Amino acid sequence: MCRDTLLKKVQDKKEKNITRETTRKAALEEVIETQQHLEGLSLKVNENKEFYNQNKERFRERIEQLYVPTKLHQPFFSCPTLYQLQTLISEVGEVRECEMDYSLEKQPVIAVGQRGKGNNELDDCGGLALDESNQRIYVADCANRRIQVVSMSEEFLNRFGQDTFQRPYGVAVKDENIFVTDIGLHVLFQFGKSDYQLMRRTDSKGEGEGQLNTPRGLCVDFNSDVCVADSWNNRVSVFSRELQFLRCIGSGQLSTPMDVKVTRNGIVVLDEGERVTRDGTVGSKGIHFFSRSGDLLKSCATHCNTAWFFCLDTAGNILVSDRMANNVKVLSSSGQLINTMGMKGHGRGHLFSPMGICVSGTGIIIILSNNVNFALQAF
């Protein structure tokens, strides 16, 4: 065998050894990385188990309200799987440690809105909205034909729409947009949040696609689509953020939808009427839960005499303004009456014909009513 051939064999063997060593080293590093990942995963599972066990009952209630897939409704026994925990926690989001206080004697931290036409004065209120910073409250000042903006420290910030509205009713805020329904003009308006300038509006009154008839409460979903309680069209109309019509929900199932809210898994609608709808079916008074695709999942009673607005709190409870009873009914996510908040009157802390309601991310309950001295209060 010649010298060159021997040298080549030696070189090939060295390269194979180097390749084998490199492969072995890479495999070892992968094993170490996998072990570290498993250790971290094990720690995460233990943390999730502890978190789950501490909030077990709230998770169960929240599951009903969010409609987590059926496989998560089965009993968790003593040890939920990692998949169940990850799915459940991602769907539920943050679970707050504190219980909400819905006592009748609770005193407001904000109380403004004497009846009148000036700044921080209101007349015949509609809905309200809180921006994402939890610092600005947008109030539908119906009889004064405007939206007022008030800070959480009771400071008047701005007003707009006096030359646009006939009777502003519902208001929602998302990103840089403010959306307002007008039950006098039967349209949906879009304003810029920074300059309060009118950007767009829907078509005139009607029952066709993209038309509204007495639009009331509204909300903006996770895709920035705008859901409107289209009361006298017996449906919820959904528009894009540019106010392009997308679809209808509840046609043939709703009678007089008054307000609408979204959860991660669907849409919740407050319906106030039992009357024959346009297609001849009879709608049902109550709170109705729809899937994202528009299928009716379940319904529950409002426990109210007359309900026009509602909201969901941080624990998944349903707060409904009862105009005739002059209070707020607090329902569990399954529709059971938990408590009643508020007393009739025109003093500080009292409610008179409550309307718009919302709950801040920190658990502050903001209520609009026709209290002639304190129309806007936060508890």
Side-chain angles (χ1 to χ4, degrees):
M1 187 178 294
C2 67
R3 181 173 176 277
D4 291 341
T5 303
L6 287 172
L7 289 175
K8 188 175 185 308
K9 284 189 174 183
V10 171
Q11 183 64 30
D12 290 343
K13 190 173 183 179
K14 285 182 179 179
E15 290 177 356
K16 286 180 180 179
N17 288 339
I18 291 172
T19 302
R20 189 180 296 114
E21 181 64 25
T22 301
T23 303
R24 179 177 173 277
K25 184 178 179 182
L28 184 59
E29 289 175 348
E30 185 176 351
V31 168
I32 293 172
E33 183 178 350
T34 302
Q35 287 177 333
Q36 292 173 340
H37 176 70
L38 289 174
E39 288 173 3
L41 201 58
S42 176
L43 180 63
K44 183 176 181 180
V45 169
N46 291 332
E47 290 176 350
N48 285 346
K49 285 179 184 177
E50 182 180 357
F51 179 65
Y52 168 78
N53 289 330
Q54 290 173 351
N55 299 279
K56 187 180 298 184
E57 292 307 314
R58 292 189 187 175
F59 273 137
R60 290 185 186 280
E61 289 183 5
R62 191 64 167 156
I63 284 172
E64 293 181 8
Q65 197 263 325
L66 288 175
Y67 293 98
V68 178
T70 305
K71 56 189 171 186
L72 291 181
H73 282 266
Q74 59 186 322
F76 287 105
F77 305 105
S78 60
C79 181
T81 66
L82 175 62
Y83 170 77
Q84 287 174 324
L85 284 167
Q86 288 176 331
T87 305
L88 179 60
I89 290 172
S90 66
E91 288 288 345
V92 171
E94 181 182 0
V95 176
R96 300 188 177 276
E97 298 296 330
C98 62
E99 292 291 339
M100 302 292 288
D101 180 8
Y102 296 120
S103 61
L104 286 171
E105 297 79 16
K106 190 172 184 181
Q107 289 301 304
V109 294
I110 294 176
V112 296
Q114 181 178 352
R115 180 166 292 178
K117 300 181 180 298
N119 296 339
N120 267 6
E121 294 181 341
L122 302 166
D123 191 0
D124 191 10
C125 302
L128 59 79
L130 189 64
D131 72 1
E132 292 156 310
S133 70
N134 288 315
Q135 296 300 316
R136 293 182 171 220
I137 308 168
Y138 297 78
V139 180
D141 188 3
C142 298
N144 288 324
R145 301 186 179 187
R146 63 190 181 186
I147 300 295
Q148 286 208 63
V149 188
V150 182
S151 75
M152 289 293 285
S153 58
E154 302 186 357
E155 178 187 0
F156 169 80
L157 299 177
N158 217 317
R159 62 185 183 186
F160 64 94
Q162 297 92 319
D163 298 327
T164 303
F165 300 128
Q166 185 175 112
R167 192 165 181 80
Y169 187 85
V171 57
V173 182
K174 176 76 171 183
D175 299 327
E176 295 304 313
N177 299 304
I178 304 169
F179 299 96
V180 182
T181 56
D182 190 314
I183 58 175
L185 297 173
H186 306 277
V187 298
L188 169 65
F189 292 104
Q190 179 184 13
F191 294 85
K193 185 180 174 183
S194 59
D195 57 10
Y196 306 110
Q197 294 299 306
L198 178 62
M199 299 168 63
R200 300 178 182 91
R201 55 167 284 174
T202 56
D203 293 334
S204 58
K205 177 182 178 181
E207 60 181 39
E209 292 187 348
Q211 292 183 309
L212 301 169
N213 188 350
T214 316
R216 295 186 182 270
L218 73 162
C219 65
V220 185
D221 70 11
F222 301 101
N223 297 320
S224 295
D225 295 335
V226 187
C227 305
V228 180
D230 191 2
S231 291
W232 288 94
N233 281 330
N234 326 119
R235 66 194 181 192
V236 171
S237 293
V238 184
F239 299 84
S240 71
R241 79 177 77 186
E242 293 81 20
L243 301 193
Q244 295 297 312
F245 175 76
L246 298 177
R247 63 188 182 278
C248 290
I249 294 174
S251 295
Q253 296 165 311
L254 298 172
S255 175
T256 313
M258 304 297 289
D259 200 5
V260 57
K261 296 291 180 282
V262 295
T263 67
R264 292 181 182 276
N265 280 35
I267 294 175
V268 187
V269 183
L270 171 64
D271 194 341
E272 184 50 27
E274 293 182 347
R275 63 181 179 81
V276 178
T277 60
R278 287 186 296 111
D279 61 1
T281 59
V282 178
S284 177
K285 179 176 180 177
I287 297 174
H288 307 294
F289 298 78
F290 292 85
S291 68
R292 286 183 178 179
S293 60
D295 297 323
L296 180 61
L297 301 176
K298 69 172 184 178
S299 301
C300 68
T302 63
H303 301 275
C304 295
N305 295 318
T306 305
W308 285 8
F309 287 95
F310 80 107
C311 71
L312 306 175
D313 73 6
T314 52
N317 299 314
I318 306 166
L319 283 70
V320 189
S321 294
D322 191 338
R323 294 195 67 205
M324 294 294 291
N326 301 291
N327 58 31
V328 171
K329 299 296 195 304
V330 184
L331 316 180
S332 70
S333 56
S334 58
Q336 295 179 329
L337 181 62
I338 299 174
N339 207 341
T340 299
M341 177 183 177
M343 294 181 290
K344 180 180 179 180
H346 293 281
R348 186 181 179 91
H350 293 171
L351 302 176
F352 190 84
S353 188
M355 295 288 284
I357 183 170
C358 69
V359 178
S360 75
T362 56
I364 296 176
I365 307 155
I366 306 169
I367 304 173
L368 263 182
S369 77
N370 287 295
N371 180 326
V372 299
N373 297 309
F374 303 103
L376 175 62
Q377 300 186 81
F379 299 85

